[in-house]
Amino acid sequence: MAEVKRVLDALVRSRRGGLAASAALGGLALIAGLALRATQADATAGPGTGTQPSGKPFDAGALSDDEATLCLRIMVAASAADGLIDARERERLDAAVAESGLDLAGRQWLARELEDPATIDEIADRVQDPGAGARIYAAARLAIDPDTMQERTFLRQLAEALDLDETAVARVESGLAA
């Protein structure tokens, strides 16, 4: 399902419009940038307080189809965390699907995902490293504005399942606010 990257990109751009568009990076690069920020050591922090920057940016094209699928699945799950995918969320998703040119098989897969969203554990069990965990968390956070208790609980449980510490979560949040 190679189109999943296009759906993910379009969904993030539609969700964060100005943030993704003004960065001129697109949705995948925004997810990658937030995750990179989350996993890098603070420039003012002492040694041993986090992963040191590699000096090279993440290539959004290097995101595997499997990881892009996990990002899309967690975005659907996050959107449903408060018990329903409302009309506005559904409209954004439909627009992203239309923009991406998702084929019939992909649309059927997405419809099944919307009917029965993945659990946090299903997603977290497939995450192999801290960078991927941060990208998955960033995708979930981009999918929603945590304005309900259920959404905040979902994000907290996701961070725990992905072994993201409070500092990494705070860096994603500050990246969204930037």
Side-chain angles (χ1 to χ4, degrees), residues 3-178:
E3 301 96 353
V4 75
K5 288 183 184 179
R6 290 193 305 267
V7 174
L8 181 61
D9 184 67
L11 186 57
V12 171
R13 284 186 290 105
S14 74
R15 177 71 176 119
R16 285 294 183 201
L19 181 62
S22 68
L25 296 173
L28 296 178
L30 181 58
I31 289 171
L34 288 169
L36 187 61
R37 179 184 184 123
T39 58
Q40 287 184 343
D42 189 323
T44 62
T49 58
T51 305
Q52 296 301 314
S54 66
K56 64 177 189 172
F58 177 80
D59 174 11
L63 189 72
S64 72
D65 286 346
D66 287 343
E67 190 174 325
T69 300
L70 286 177
C71 286
L72 185 55
R73 292 184 75 200
I74 203 63
M75 291 180 86
V76 169
S79 296
D82 59 0
L84 70 128
I85 295 177
D86 65 33
R88 186 172 172 213
E89 291 167 330
R90 186 58 193 238
E91 183 180 303
R92 238 183 5 257
L93 182 59
D94 289 344
V97 166
E99 181 182 328
S100 71
L102 191 63
D103 64 14
L104 179 60
R107 288 175 189 260
Q108 290 171 337
W109 173 87
L110 189 56
R112 287 190 303 274
E113 199 65 32
L114 288 165
E115 289 174 22
D116 186 23
T119 66
I120 288 171
D121 289 338
E122 288 172 337
I123 299 295
D125 286 347
R126 301 207 38 218
V127 175
Q128 302 297 319
D129 61 74
R135 288 187 293 277
I136 298 297
Y137 182 85
R141 182 53 187 87
L142 283 163
I144 58 174
D145 289 321
D147 54 2
T148 67
M149 182 177 65
Q150 296 96 333
E151 291 169 337
R152 289 187 297 273
T153 299
F154 178 90
L155 289 172
R156 188 182 75 253
Q157 290 174 345
L158 178 62
E160 289 172 7
L162 295 171
D163 293 325
L164 294 178
D165 61 26
E166 291 179 22
T167 303
V169 170
R171 287 183 180 146
V172 169
E173 291 297 329
S174 70
L176 289 171

